[in-house]
Amino acid sequence: MAQKTKVNIELYDLLITSRKDDRSGRVVSTGSQKIDDLIAIAVERRTDLNAVTLKASYMILKEIALEGVRNAKQVEFGLTHNGLGVGGAFIGDHAGWDSEKNSLYLHAAPTLETRDALKDIEVAVLGMASSGLYVNTLTDVSSGKVNERLTPGGGVNLTGIKIKIAGEAPGVGIFLTEINSQAATQIPSESILINDPSKITFIVPAGLPTGDYRLSITTQFANNTTLLNEPRTYVFDYVLACN
């Protein structure tokens, strides 16, 4: 029986409806865990387990699972069922594959065990978020993908609330942080083409290395006439692929 858990939710203005009191909710993150963190916890709970063996076993199973997905199998791995999906339209009954318009992507659906575990979480709604800073969508202009990817040298459109980059405090700006290496790349100010409270457009650095990234925004913006004394930071929920 899993230990009872609790998550906190903060509310943000929902701008896509006509009602002034509509809100969207966002789970308040308590941090992140990579495979090495999970292995360390497992070893701590089970002293008969070996970290090196666990890591090797995980890497072997991941490679086999990826091989299965690449061969069009539906693979249960971890918390989800995983398989290939097809993106883009085909014109005509005998249309061929067009890599400019079509793509394969991974679709993942939670397992029954995962769905049941999510039902057993206690939820506390904390009310309106104190910062109000929120990113709704990230669109990669080159591919048209939403909340999925980054194209080196291509444009990105962000929509959100109070996302304007403003202030001179250290750390103010837009950052792309590679998840595995934790290397952070700041978007140069000259690459930010639109910088409004509800929309930002910027150019991804042409030399951004291949990897999985998290986008974060740090700003002192409060409103069009006021700056915060201390900057606030928002980390986008979605992992963004760059390759």
Side-chain angles (χ1 to χ4, degrees):
M1 182 70 178
Q3 182 179 359
K4 187 76 173 182
T5 58
K6 176 180 178 180
V7 300
N8 294 324
I9 292 177
E10 292 182 328
L11 302 180
Y12 293 81
D13 289 328
L14 187 60
L15 301 181
I16 61 174
T17 68
S18 58
R19 288 179 57 97
K20 299 298 184 182
D21 58 350
D22 279 354
R23 305 287 183 260
S24 63
R26 178 175 183 262
V27 173
V28 180
S29 174
T30 60
S32 62
Q33 292 176 317
K34 296 191 290 187
I35 184 60
D36 288 335
D37 300 314
L38 301 180
I39 288 173
I41 294 171
V43 171
E44 182 180 351
R45 293 179 180 178
R46 290 276 304 275
T47 55
D48 58 315
L49 299 176
N50 179 279
V52 174
T53 302
L54 283 175
K55 180 67 174 286
S57 301
Y58 165 78
M59 297 301 292
I60 292 170
L61 289 174
K62 184 175 73 167
E63 181 178 351
I64 294 171
L66 182 58
E67 178 182 324
V69 169
R70 283 172 52 86
N71 283 284
K73 297 182 185 299
Q74 297 291 321
V75 179
E76 178 184 332
F77 186 70
L79 306 179
T80 59
H81 298 286
N82 306 277
L84 292 178
V86 179
F90 295 84
I91 308 300
D93 296 342
H94 303 288
W97 182 264
D98 186 343
S99 59
E100 295 297 319
K101 298 178 180 178
N102 305 121
S103 61
L104 296 176
Y105 64 89
L106 180 73
H107 63 76
T111 63
L112 175 61
E113 182 182 17
T114 301
R115 297 197 302 272
D116 287 342
L118 297 182
K119 295 176 183 177
D120 195 38
I121 300 175
E122 180 183 345
V123 178
V125 181
L126 305 181
M128 290 296 289
S130 58
S131 70
L133 172 62
Y134 185 75
V135 174
N136 286 315
T137 61
L138 180 151
T139 303
D140 180 69
V141 176
S142 298
S143 65
K145 299 292 186 180
V146 178
N147 301 339
E148 290 185 24
R149 65 168 295 120
L150 301 165
T151 299
V156 167
N157 289 329
L158 299 178
T159 65
I161 301 168
K162 297 184 178 180
I163 58 176
K164 181 177 181 178
I165 305 302
E168 301 296 330
V172 166
I174 303 171
F175 296 85
L176 299 172
T177 301
E178 206 283 317
I179 292 176
N180 289 323
S181 67
Q182 289 297 295
T185 300
Q186 183 172 3
I187 304 301
S189 58
E190 61 270 20
S191 295
I192 302 175
L193 308 180
I194 297 175
N195 186 25
D196 293 334
S198 61
K199 181 178 181 180
I200 291 177
T201 297
F202 67 87
I203 303 299
V204 178
L208 189 70
T210 296
D212 292 328
Y213 287 82
R214 288 234 185 239
L215 175 137
S216 63
I217 290 177
T218 299
T219 181
Q220 291 176 265
F221 178 81
N223 55 53
N224 287 327
T225 60
T226 306
L227 291 179
L228 301 170
N229 291 329
E230 297 293 332
R232 59 193 175 191
T233 297
Y234 177 86
V235 180
F236 195 42
D237 291 330
Y238 295 89
V239 174
L240 306 168
C242 176
N243 51 28

